[in-house]
Amino acid sequence: MSIFNPYAQIDHVEYKIVVALERLSEAFRVLLWEKGKALGLSPIQIQLLLFIRFHPPERCKVTFLAQEFNLTPSTVSEALRTLEHKGLLQRKTDPTDTRSHTLALTEDGLAVAAQVSDFADVMLPGLSHLSGAEQDCLLELLLGLIAHLQRAGVIVPQRMCFACTYYRKTDSGHFCHFIKKPLEVRELRVDCPEHVPRKQTGE
């Protein structure tokens, strides 16, 4: 029976959770479209702007972006060309490989990225009603679900603690060998700058 059948959901709480997550994904799509309409940008153009704004140059390349957003390189290239045409983006030659380019925002691009970076802030008041323990529990559960989807091959490898060579699950909780200390649940990261995928070390 389908997860999306309301009668099937009655007796299956896991079905209700999946449908609730689908509704949240729809909310993100709506928020991106609303923000983009005001600036003449598509949702993926906004996402690319924000990614390039907050990630290092080595990750701001067409091939990496295509993998990150689960899109074809041609789709990403088209979106990037539009951003270049609008004067929001510039390509820089990679000093280690003159055939390759990294992407960087122009001053106008940085300004637009600042304008759009609040598109999901409307979510925060709803979470503020949760207690600290409830927020911790929700974060841990979501990270576990993301890790499952990564292992199942549904989403690309994520730069989160559960997929990092430095991370260990212990009897007492979580531990990071990069900073050499236990982690509280709220210290777990979804997108970590120091992340090293486990596959790189053969683990």
Side-chain angles (χ1 to χ4, degrees):
M1 194 173 287
S2 173
I3 288 173
F4 297 97
N5 183 331
Y7 293 104
Q9 295 168 21
I10 292 172
D11 297 319
H12 294 85
V13 67
E14 67 273 29
Y15 289 11
K16 297 174 188 176
I17 292 170
V18 172
V19 173
L21 291 171
E22 192 272 338
R23 300 285 169 82
L24 286 174
S25 71
E26 177 63 24
F28 275 101
R29 286 194 293 270
V30 169
L31 291 170
L32 278 167
W33 273 113
E34 289 299 317
K35 181 64 73 169
K37 280 194 299 186
L39 297 170
L41 298 172
S42 69
I44 187 57
Q45 288 166 3
I46 291 176
Q47 290 174 297
L48 290 170
L49 279 175
L50 291 176
F51 188 92
I52 294 167
R53 169 64 181 86
F54 294 110
H55 291 84
E58 60 268 22
R59 291 179 180 160
C60 298
K61 298 184 178 183
V62 173
T63 51
F64 191 97
L65 293 170
Q67 181 184 36
E68 179 76 13
F69 293 101
N70 196 28
L71 297 168
T72 64
S74 60
T75 299
V76 170
S77 293
E78 183 178 347
L80 293 172
R81 278 195 296 270
T82 300
L83 292 174
E84 280 187 279
H85 182 70
K86 291 176 178 287
L88 306 179
L89 185 71
Q90 58 187 338
R91 296 175 188 264
K92 296 185 176 181
T93 301
D94 186 339
T96 63
D97 182 1
T98 56
R99 297 168 300 175
S100 179
H101 296 81
T102 57
L103 302 156
L105 301 187
T106 62
E107 286 192 17
D108 287 345
L110 290 170
V112 171
Q115 284 182 268
V116 300
S117 63
D118 66 348
F119 83 90
D121 285 7
V122 69
M123 300 279 190
L124 296 178
L127 293 172
S128 68
H129 295 299
L130 301 178
S131 68
E134 288 172 328
Q135 290 181 5
D136 288 354
C137 182
L138 179 57
L139 173 62
E140 194 167 24
L141 290 171
L142 289 173
L143 288 175
L145 179 57
I146 293 168
H148 164 73
L149 294 173
Q150 176 179 315
R151 290 192 298 270
V154 176
I155 56 177
V156 298
Q158 303 294 301
R159 293 177 297 278
M160 62 180 187
C161 291
F162 291 178
C164 183
T165 191
Y166 295 120
Y167 169 82
R168 291 292 182 277
K169 183 78 170 70
T170 67
D171 292 339
S172 57
H174 309 280
F175 192 92
C176 177
H177 285 276
F178 181 78
I179 58 175
K180 297 179 173 57
K181 66 183 284 287
L183 298 173
E184 298 292 335
V185 172
R186 60 185 48 244
E187 293 179 295
L188 293 171
R189 295 182 178 184
V190 183
D191 188 358
C192 179
E194 288 79 39
H195 182 269
V196 176
R198 283 198 179 132
K199 64 180 181 181
Q200 290 188 2
T201 60
E203 295 187 14

